[in-house]
Amino acid sequence: MTTYLLSVIHPDGVTDEWKPAHLSPEEVEQSFADTGAFNEEIQASGHWVFAGGLEPPSNATVVDNSNGQNAVTDGPFAESKEQLGGFWVIEAADLDEALAIAARGSKACRNPVEVRPFQGVA
Amino acid sequence: MDFTDRVAAIVRAEHGRVVAQLIRRLGDIDLAEDAVAEALVTALERWPADGIPPNPGAWLTTTAGNKAIDRIRREGKRDAKHAEATMLDHDEPHEETGPVTDDRLRLVFTCCHPALALENRVALTLRLLGGLTVAEIARAFLVPETTMAQRITRSKQKIKAANIPYRVPREQDLVERLGGVMTVLYLIFNEGYLASTGEGAREDLSSEAIRLTRQLSAMLTSFDLGAPELDGLLALMLLTEARRDARFTDGVLTTLDRQDRSRWDPALIDEGHQLVRRCLAVNRPGPYQIQAAINAVHTNAIDASMTDWSQIVQLYDQLLAQDPNPVVELNRAVAVAELDGPEVALRIVDRLDLVGYHPWHVTRAELLRRMDRHDQSREAYDAALALSENDAERAHLVRRRGSLPG
């Protein structure tokens, strides 16, 4: 088994309410429902490790103590249009299985999903 | 053939099969490649004294398998029990896990996983399956060797880290990965048809590419997934392969227009033409089908003067519309020269950005020769010679250059 991080990317930016810019409110409601069903599905199939949706980037804080002089700044580290909206951590037999799960997750949440293996999980 | 040549021929013929089998058993590409390399060293030490074993492929597989076990134990990567367990299925029949039963074809599909960039898929397949050196692959792609080495290393790392399975593809994978697989097979064929270095051609690579393409075609047909492009690719390979014997005379390349057509293989031409007709009936033309059709026009002509050049130019126009690239334009220009004369063709050729591609210089040399611009033609032959590393082709170019007047 390999552990994978499935990151949900909002490629076209988000509204101030942290809603995908390309979806209507009804579509957003439907995507929440579909994502909930997807979560239950991967819990039942034993692939689920952990998952979570993130607060908007405006609620992020950057801590930089890399040079030993800690600095705390408001906002996200990267000022980009594409934003990480949430993630799943799953276990799958191989990349093909992970990609198939990611494809269902992407359909459910209406966003692209990046699949990345962990180096190892303690 | 001296001893070294015989060993080299065996290694070329067996490399893909031995590596593919070991990857299946070990589940580790680097380990499999290293073990095969070590087995080759042992072969070179022992065979001169012991003689070449009756089944050198099986000998290499067994020896490489043992080398791998040694290495696993030595490096303590896994415990010895695990190693033995991995090796247990050695003589058992392959587990039936899907439509692709040939280890090499499975390896092609693994290397052609859509999670790898297309150029990386091709490079990796040529390395693992074709047994080509990084330098040979770099030349086939017109990129520096370091770039190619990075590509291959990166692909192997991704396969390992992301856990890309070495597994038989499912039916939907077959269709999804077919494009990348065809690119790979055609590049292997081409490398075998005119090897980028050394003595003329490497027939083993061409026949391997044809064998794999036939198998793939039969497999897709059996799933009712018939693909006209795959038929086109097979036809293209067969019609090209049919001319192999006529291409070299005493180690010198003989170009299409000067070949003795009675030495072409009529059975391969026949099969190729049948496939082209089948493609025409389906009428979903793609780049391989069009190139096969171009070769069908060439092989239809009893001699070079009977070639239907206007049809060939039309086919190249169709190909350019689908696949606009300077190499296709260069080939089209050769046909234009026959139809409209060398001046028109040279104007096309001179605006192509192919200075690092030796056929561009060869084409210029031939066009300039026909226009009696002999000094410029000589310079173009020199430029082509500086870039070509195939002995038979170099011999041909030296002869052509030497036959210029003045």
Side-chain angles (χ1 to χ4, degrees):
Chain A
M1 289 299 241
T2 304
T3 311
Y4 297 91
L5 173 69
L6 312 190
S7 314
V8 176
I9 316 291
H10 294 299
D12 304 316
V14 286
T15 64
D16 289 344
E17 297 82 40
W18 191 224
K19 297 278 166 58
H22 63 294
L23 296 182
S24 71
E26 295 74 28
E27 288 168 326
V28 171
E29 277 309 308
Q30 188 58 50
S31 79
F32 287 168
D34 290 351
T35 305
F38 170 73
N39 287 341
E40 281 168 26
E41 178 196 317
I42 60 173
Q43 277 163 354
S45 62
H47 295 292
W48 170 282
V49 178
F50 183 71
L54 294 173
E55 286 288 326
S58 55
N59 287 346
T61 310
V62 174
V63 173
D64 187 358
N65 195 20
S66 55
N67 58 5
Q69 294 168 333
N70 197 24
V72 176
T73 45
D74 178 28
F77 175 76
E79 293 291 346
S80 76
K81 190 159 62 88
E82 302 85 5
Q83 290 291 350
L84 179 65
F87 60 88
W88 290 277
V89 178
I90 62 154
E91 278 188 338
D94 54 43
L95 184 67
D96 282 353
E97 191 173 60
L99 295 178
I101 292 169
R104 297 202 299 275
S106 166
K107 191 177 181 189
C109 74
R110 316 295 202 265
N111 275 301
V113 172
E114 180 189 290
V115 179
R116 254 170 105 174
F118 279 85
Q119 279 191 335
V121 179
Chain B
M1 212 194 277
D2 71 16
F3 183 79
T4 323
D5 288 343
R6 276 170 68 203
V7 173
I10 289 166
V11 168
R12 285 197 300 242
E14 299 290 343
H15 184 276
R17 200 179 57 77
V18 176
V19 169
Q21 221 175 348
L22 276 176
I23 293 174
R24 176 168 57 78
R25 281 165 51 201
L26 301 165
D28 185 324
I29 291 174
D30 283 328
L31 183 58
E33 270 201 295
D34 289 350
V36 173
E38 279 185 55
L40 293 176
V41 172
T42 308
L44 288 171
E45 284 163 7
R46 294 212 193 134
W47 291 359
D50 301 353
I52 294 174
N55 187 343
W59 189 97
L60 285 171
T61 307
T62 307
T63 309
N66 293 336
K67 299 281 181 195
I69 295 179
D70 289 349
R71 185 175 277 237
I72 290 168
R73 289 203 176 117
R74 206 164 54 230
E75 295 178 1
K77 272 185 184 166
R78 287 156 231 181
D79 58 62
K81 265 193 183 138
H82 181 155
E84 275 158 11
T86 316
M87 295 296 163
L88 272 181
D89 64 340
H90 193 154
D91 293 319
E92 288 168 15
H94 304 180
E95 49 172 332
E96 277 304 322
T97 39
V100 186
T101 48
D102 183 283
D103 274 339
R104 279 165 287 190
L105 210 45
R106 294 168 61 167
L107 184 55
V108 176
F109 274 93
T110 305
C111 294
C112 293
H113 196 285
L116 301 173
L118 179 63
E119 70 252 33
N120 296 358
R121 294 177 213 167
V122 179
L124 191 62
T125 312
L126 286 169
R127 173 77 205 102
L128 295 180
L129 197 92
L132 267 63
T133 64
V134 173
E136 285 172 326
I137 303 169
R139 261 192 296 276
F141 279 87
L142 318 173
V143 301
E145 198 174 327
T146 47
T147 309
M148 189 49 71
Q150 281 163 1
R151 253 183 221 180
I152 291 170
T153 308
R154 211 194 138 264
S155 306
K156 286 197 284 194
Q157 278 167 355
K158 181 160 183 185
I159 288 178
K160 202 171 194 170
N163 196 7
I164 291 179
Y166 178 62
R167 198 196 43 219
V168 170
R170 294 152 301 184
E171 266 183 58
Q172 71 263 33
D173 300 328
L174 295 179
V175 180
E176 209 174 274
R177 298 186 199 172
L178 190 60
V181 170
M182 287 195 293
T183 309
V184 168
L185 292 173
Y186 189 45
L187 280 163
I188 293 177
F189 176 83
N190 273 335
E191 187 57 31
Y193 195 66
L194 184 63
S196 46
T197 50
E199 77 304 343
R202 286 179 55 173
E203 288 180 41
D204 53 320
L205 285 181
S206 297
S207 37
E208 180 68 1
I210 290 176
R211 191 187 70 83
L212 290 168
T213 309
R214 273 189 204 283
Q215 230 184 340
L216 190 54
S217 167
M219 200 173 69
L220 287 177
T221 309
S222 74
F223 284 110
D224 232 1
L225 299 169
E229 266 298 85
L230 190 61
D231 283 340
L233 175 62
L234 183 56
L236 174 59
M237 288 180 181
L238 295 174
L239 293 173
T240 312
E241 182 70 8
R243 306 197 299 261
R244 178 185 288 281
D245 284 350
R247 290 178 71 235
F248 299 102
T249 316
D250 303 325
V252 180
L253 180 78
T254 309
T255 49
L256 183 61
D257 51 321
R258 290 180 180 78
Q259 286 173 13
D260 172 2
R261 297 187 176 213
S262 70
R263 289 173 67 193
W264 289 357
D265 184 326
L268 291 182
I269 288 178
D270 216 42
E271 193 187 349
H273 283 189
Q274 274 179 38
L275 284 165
V276 169
R277 280 195 293 274
R278 200 158 97 189
C279 290
L280 285 172
V282 178
N283 197 21
R284 272 162 44 208
Y288 291 121
Q289 294 177 72
I290 299 169
Q291 289 178 77
I294 291 168
N295 277 277
V297 176
H298 279 302
T299 45
N300 250 336
I302 299 159
D303 67 75
S305 68
M306 305 287 280
T307 308
D308 184 347
W309 290 106
S310 84
Q311 205 185 347
I312 289 181
V313 172
Q314 279 171 34
L315 286 165
Y316 273 120
D317 287 338
Q318 211 183 340
L319 186 58
L320 267 179
Q322 292 204 2
D323 179 21
N325 83 61
V327 173
V328 175
E329 284 194 62
L330 180 68
N331 292 328
R332 179 181 173 276
V334 173
V336 167
E338 299 300 326
L339 206 61
D340 301 327
E343 293 83 1
V344 181
L346 187 65
R347 278 202 293 277
I348 300 171
V349 171
D350 276 344
R351 61 174 166 71
L352 301 175
D353 182 18
L354 287 172
V355 179
Y357 184 63
H358 79 267
W360 182 76
H361 296 283
V362 177
T363 308
R364 288 193 76 244
E366 294 296 333
L367 294 173
L368 289 162
R369 164 199 291 271
R370 283 164 63 180
M371 293 157 71
D372 292 326
R373 287 157 63 177
H374 297 134
D375 288 342
Q376 284 172 291
S377 174
R378 205 169 280 116
E379 280 168 28
Y381 281 120
D382 286 339
L385 276 162
L387 289 168
S388 168
E389 296 188 45
N390 181 286
D391 295 343
E393 188 177 24
R394 290 178 60 82
H396 161 72
L397 292 174
V398 168
R399 188 173 289 183
R400 290 295 287 163
R401 186 189 186 282
S403 70
L404 279 169

